[in-house]
Amino acid sequence: MSDSISSIIFEHPLNEKMRSWLRIESSLQQLEKQRHLDSQSSSLAFFRTIAELIEILERGEVRSELLKELERQQTKLKQWLSSPDADAVMINSLSEQLKKRSMGLSQAPRIGQHIKEDRMISMVRQRLSIPGGCCSFDLPTLHLWLHLPQSVRDETVKSWLDNLAPLQQALESILGLIRQSAIFIPKTAHNGFHQGNADEADLLRLKLDIDLNTLVYPQVSGYKTRFAIRFLPMDSEHGALPTHLSFELSCC
């Protein structure tokens, strides 16, 4: 992270669907950053992330939920067209993008099945739960693979991530529209506490200035329409908590 960052955004899901999507998004972003497997340590980080992603995908009907949301977002875009100040060109462009993402996702093979059945991923995944279980004598196949030319490993990783592309693209469009559906509104927490309503919202976004003299973070509890935010000092023993703490809140 850059030292020049002056504020930070915290996100909190208000339903299980959004909780799952944020976790999938985080895993996909990590995989993209970890895709250059040039050492055992970088490779194990990649395989741990992809194993976690497989577990998340196995827990629910991710594809059907995303397809429903793509349809819902297209309906909202059509409603926006009736607004006198609507940017018809941009809305039509977004609508066309959502149609393509929906088609790509619906026509793709079962999400995650390719990586789940891959021999290399399967072997490493079985050993990850064992402390130190990925040594060269545990996984000689991985040890050999890591000594192949970088171009060979890059091509393999590309095939794995390409299989996840329809999921990544659909999720990117959905979360992008959800995050842009509401603006940040200035709020004040009194004695570190704030509560409110978030009717029909899926996601809370909090923007907080980074003050090195008063480092605090939000602890959010909420589900569906009600939420409560309690700010806590990063230094639990000596940290100070302002009586009136300003922040910005977006209910998306």
Side-chain angles (χ1 to χ4, degrees):
M1 301 296 289
S2 171
D3 293 338
S4 63
I5 293 176
S6 59
S7 64
I8 184 171
I9 294 177
F10 295 88
E11 296 186 328
H12 183 81
L14 293 174
N15 50 57
E16 289 303 316
K17 173 185 68 177
M18 180 57 66
R19 188 183 304 274
S20 175
W21 290 351
L22 291 178
R23 286 174 173 160
I24 293 172
E25 178 191 47
S26 176
S27 293
L28 290 172
Q29 290 174 345
Q30 290 178 63
L31 289 174
E32 184 59 37
K33 292 180 180 179
Q34 297 166 344
R35 66 184 300 160
H36 189 68
L37 310 186
D38 57 0
S39 66
Q40 184 184 29
S41 58
S42 65
S43 299
L44 290 181
F46 177 90
F47 284 117
R48 285 193 180 93
T49 303
I50 210 164
E52 292 172 357
L53 177 60
I54 290 172
E55 288 191 27
I56 297 172
L57 294 175
E58 287 179 338
R59 292 175 187 170
E61 295 296 326
V62 176
R63 188 209 299 264
S64 61
E65 290 290 347
L66 288 173
L67 288 172
K68 289 178 184 176
E69 185 63 26
L70 285 167
E71 184 177 350
R72 188 173 78 93
Q73 291 294 337
Q74 288 187 63
T75 301
K76 288 176 64 176
L77 289 175
K78 290 178 182 177
Q79 294 173 348
W80 290 351
L81 277 174
S82 60
S83 173
D85 299 324
D87 186 335
V89 174
M90 184 181 71
I91 292 175
N92 286 328
S93 176
L94 286 172
S95 182
E96 188 63 28
Q97 182 191 79
L98 292 181
K99 289 179 183 178
K100 290 181 180 178
R101 299 286 163 89
S102 181
M103 184 178 299
L105 185 61
S106 62
Q107 293 179 350
R110 185 178 176 186
I111 296 177
Q113 195 65 24
H114 175 72
I115 57 175
K116 182 180 177 181
E117 295 177 348
D118 184 89
R119 181 168 173 265
M120 182 69 71
I121 293 175
S122 179
M123 284 193 301
V124 178
R125 188 183 175 201
Q126 291 174 12
R127 306 294 303 182
L128 286 173
S129 60
I130 302 173
C134 294
C135 292
S136 60
F137 60 85
D138 291 303
L139 290 169
T141 307
L142 176 64
H143 186 63
L144 170 62
W145 187 70
L146 290 175
H147 283 80
L148 296 179
Q150 183 68 49
S151 59
V152 174
R153 295 197 299 278
D154 287 345
E155 188 62 31
T156 302
V157 172
K158 182 179 182 300
S159 71
W160 292 337
L161 298 186
D162 284 351
N163 181 259
L164 296 170
L167 168 65
Q168 187 273 329
Q169 292 169 358
L171 195 58
E172 181 181 60
S173 293
I174 288 171
L175 292 179
L177 287 172
I178 289 176
R179 286 175 173 131
Q180 295 173 35
S181 66
I183 62 172
F184 282 102
I185 299 176
K187 300 286 184 179
T188 302
H190 301 283
N191 296 317
F193 184 76
H194 178 82
Q195 63 180 349
N197 295 315
D199 294 337
E200 299 183 359
D202 293 306
L203 178 69
L204 288 183
R205 307 186 77 213
L206 293 83
K207 184 183 291 185
L208 190 64
D209 289 338
I210 296 179
D211 183 350
L212 295 179
N213 297 316
T214 312
L215 286 175
V216 299
Y217 64 91
Q219 192 173 72
V220 184
S221 59
Y223 190 71
K224 293 185 178 179
T225 61
R226 295 286 298 171
F227 67 87
I229 305 169
R230 184 171 296 280
F231 290 93
L232 301 171
M234 188 171 180
D235 185 344
S236 58
E237 293 185 9
H238 307 291
L241 188 66
T243 304
H244 302 289
L245 178 65
S246 298
F247 67 101
E248 295 181 61
L249 179 66
S250 175
C251 299
C252 307

